[in-house]
Amino acid sequence: MAKENNSLTTEFILIGFTDHPVLKILLFLVFFAIYLITMVGNLGLVALISMEHRLHTPMYIFLGNLALMDSCCSCAIIPKMLENFFSEGKMISLYECMAQFYFLCLAETADSFLLAAMAYDRYVAICSPLQYHTMMSKKLCIQMTIGTFIASNLHSMIHVGLLLRLTFCRSNQIDHFFCDILPLYRLSCTDPYINELMIYIFSMPIQIFTIATVLFSYICILFTIFKMTSKEGRGKAFSTCASHFLSVSIFYICLLMYIRPFEEGDKDIPVAIFYTIVIPLLNPFIYSLRNKEVISGLKKCMKNYNIVK
């Protein structure tokens, strides 16, 4: 169903995963379950942090926004993917494609900044506990959150704007389950050199800054922990950082694997699934299951709800 070479493409076909009828049903059920659990987990975490006054601290404000962005990422990808399992045409318009990439780019960029902000918060809490309320004031927390969303929106708009300069007159088949930027480059009749250059100019500094912030924070945290004489203090410090360290490790390992195959075709679909679908699913559980404050807040809200009922 490729377009003729002399006509411009205004719609794309998302090839997706498989056309096997049994596998389609199985994959639909799996991803539908993932979508429901992801949305309930992340939006539930956002609601809990909003309602529970004890969780109105910088760490949980960042965590709430991270959960909100993970919900945004899932909403950008999964509903269209579920629709395409049973859609004959599997069509997506050019502007729907741009919107999908915009929200994905927004969510992933915001995640990078928020994970860096959370690492800095843990650095201050462990390395300078007496100055925590001065160095991580509520005003600074709000400024960092607003700055994250402004920078993420600008970053997304720049790349979407650059995508709109491209013309697509080759095949309109995207061998992927969503409108990723690299498959679009391969379909472009316009040289995407400027777009690729802008990725290095804008995206690379963001990743270098956020990764450097995380590494610096955790190097300082480790030095501080090893200097502690109390085993109880070390254990408490490790438990404070464990959830965030696990989350940030998974995020950046998947990110580096995801951006690596720049010219390798679409062999990175399994990594894309993990990066865009599985990570938003895992984060609420990583931050909740072993977090006493979150579990305590959840029990309190459930108790209050039962009293009201």
Side-chain angles (χ1 to χ4, degrees), residues 47-207:
L48 177 63
I49 292 169
S50 300
M51 291 187 295
E52 182 55 47
H53 182 72
R54 287 183 299 174
L55 300 180
H56 292 178
T57 60
M59 182 65 178
Y60 291 105
I61 291 172
F62 294 140
L63 177 57
N65 283 283
L66 183 71
L68 189 64
M69 288 296 98
D70 284 342
S71 301
C72 176
C73 180
S74 294
C75 286
I77 300 296
I78 300 182
K80 188 65 180 179
M81 181 180 68
L82 293 175
E83 176 191 333
N84 285 344
F85 277 119
F86 300 105
S87 172
E88 291 185 7
K90 298 183 179 181
M91 303 296 292
I92 183 170
S93 72
L94 176 62
Y95 293 106
E96 282 180 310
C97 202
M98 296 299 107
Q100 190 179 60
F101 176 73
Y102 169 81
F103 285 110
L104 176 65
C105 185
L106 170 68
E108 300 303 345
T109 306
D111 277 3
S112 296
F113 282 118
L114 289 168
L115 288 170
M118 292 165 77
Y120 175 73
D121 176 84
R122 293 300 85 198
Y123 157 74
V124 176
I126 293 172
C127 300
S128 304
L130 298 178
Q131 297 176 306
Y132 179 78
H133 293 291
T134 303
M135 295 177 67
M136 278 302 298
S137 63
K138 188 170 287 187
K139 180 181 178 181
L140 177 61
C141 176
I142 293 171
Q143 288 174 341
M144 290 171 74
T145 304
I146 293 173
T148 290
F149 285 108
I150 291 173
S152 301
N153 270 287
L154 289 174
H155 184 238
S156 302
M157 287 190 289
I158 287 169
H159 290 300
V160 170
L162 288 167
L163 280 174
L164 291 172
R165 66 174 281 274
L166 302 179
T167 54
F168 303 95
C169 56
R170 298 172 183 168
S171 170
N172 66 339
Q173 295 185 356
I174 299 177
D175 190 15
H176 217 302
F177 60 93
F178 68 96
C179 285
D180 201 4
I181 194 167
L182 298 185
L184 289 173
Y185 286 172
R186 297 180 192 114
L187 298 181
S188 173
C189 297
T190 308
D191 187 356
Y193 171 76
I194 294 176
N195 299 62
E196 293 172 359
L197 181 63
M198 291 301 106
I199 287 178
Y200 288 109
I201 291 175
F202 289 104
S203 300
M204 292 302 290
I206 290 173
Q207 297 307 326

